[in-house]
Structure formats: C-alpha cells, structure tokens
Amino acid sequence: MRTLLYVTTFLGLIGLAFWAYRENYETQAALDNVERLHRDIADARARLAILKAEWAYLNRPDRLRDLAEINFPRLELLPMRPDQFGRVDQVSYPVTQPLVVMEPIDVSSAGATQ
C-alpha cells in the first residue's frame, strides 16, 4: 500500500513538474508577444508623428496660397469671403408634426400580473 502511495505521489510530482514547465514556456511566449506588440505600437506612433509633421508641412498657408496662384487658370480658386457663407436663418428645417396618440398603452407595473 505504501508503494502505491509513493508511485502515485511520484507520478503526480512528475505531472506537476511537466505542467509548470509548459506554463513557464507559454508565459515566456506571451511576454515575447507583448514585447513585440509594444515595439509595433511604438513604431506605429513614430510613423504617425512623421505623417502629422508631413501633413502640417504640406498644409502651410503660404504653400497653399502659392499652389492656388500657380493653378489658378485650371482651378479658378479664389479666396473665401464672409459674404459667401450662409446665415442660420436661411437654413430650412423640416416641419415636425405633433405626435397623436390614439390608444394609450399602460406601461405601469400596476396592471402587471404575476
């Protein structure tokens, strides 16, 4: 009987050692994956910062003004004036009709049966 207990304990110990070994490697793989994702995110943020800088550089008002002047014969772009904008009172809103309830519905819990 003692031998069976020792063998069972030994097999359980081997099983737990195998489980711990496998969990350790899975954890290391997950940590490596997280580290790779952090590097990818940092790279993406660096690319985004570069793209924002390029966008700001390309949208400089003096550059856009020069481009508008160079391409005026083709595009006929003119500077915007305040009189080109509309007023709020010129906006037509849809006419709303009042909601008519023909048969009221009881939504209170007083009419509920259990």
Side-chain angles (χ1 to χ4, degrees), residues 4 30 36 38-39 47 51-53 57-58 67-68 105 111 113:
L4 181 62
R36 182 184 53 80
H38 280 285
R39 279 195 311 268
R47 285 193 312 271
L51 289 173
K52 284 182 179 180
Y57 179 76
L58 292 174
L67 284 174
I105 299 172
T113 59

Side-chain angles (χ1 to χ4, degrees), residues 9-58:
T9 305
F10 182 70
L11 289 176
L13 182 65
I14 290 175
L16 286 174
F18 177 73
W19 173 80
Y21 182 79
R22 191 178 47 134
E23 287 295 318
N24 182 30
Y25 276 96
E26 287 179 7
T27 303
Q28 293 299 324
L31 289 174
D32 290 342
N33 189 24
V34 168
E35 187 177 323
R36 182 184 53 80
L37 288 173
H38 280 285
R39 279 195 311 268
D40 291 347
I41 290 171
D43 292 343
R45 285 184 178 162
R47 285 193 312 271
L48 181 63
I50 290 171
L51 289 173
K52 284 182 179 180
E54 287 178 356
W55 182 258
Y57 179 76
L58 292 174

Side-chain angles (χ1 to χ4, degrees), residues 15 21 23-24 32 39 49 56 58-60 69 79 84 86 89 91 96 99 109 113:
Y21 182 79
E23 287 295 318
N24 182 30
D32 290 342
R39 279 195 311 268
L58 292 174
N59 282 321
R60 293 184 329 264
E69 289 174 6
Q84 292 175 324
D89 59 354
V91 176
T96 58
L99 179 64
S109 61
T113 59

Side-chain angles (χ1 to χ4, degrees), residues 70-90:
I70 291 170
N71 295 310
F72 181 76
R74 260 189 320 172
L75 301 176
E76 298 179 5
L77 296 174
L78 297 173
M80 295 186 82
R81 296 182 316 272
D83 61 341
Q84 292 175 324
F85 294 97
R87 294 186 319 270
V88 174
D89 59 354
Q90 293 174 327

Side-chain angles (χ1 to χ4, degrees), residues 5 15 20 41-42 53 63 73 77 82 87 97 100 104:
L5 180 64
I41 290 171
R63 178 184 173 276
L77 296 174
R87 294 186 319 270
Q97 297 177 358
V100 179

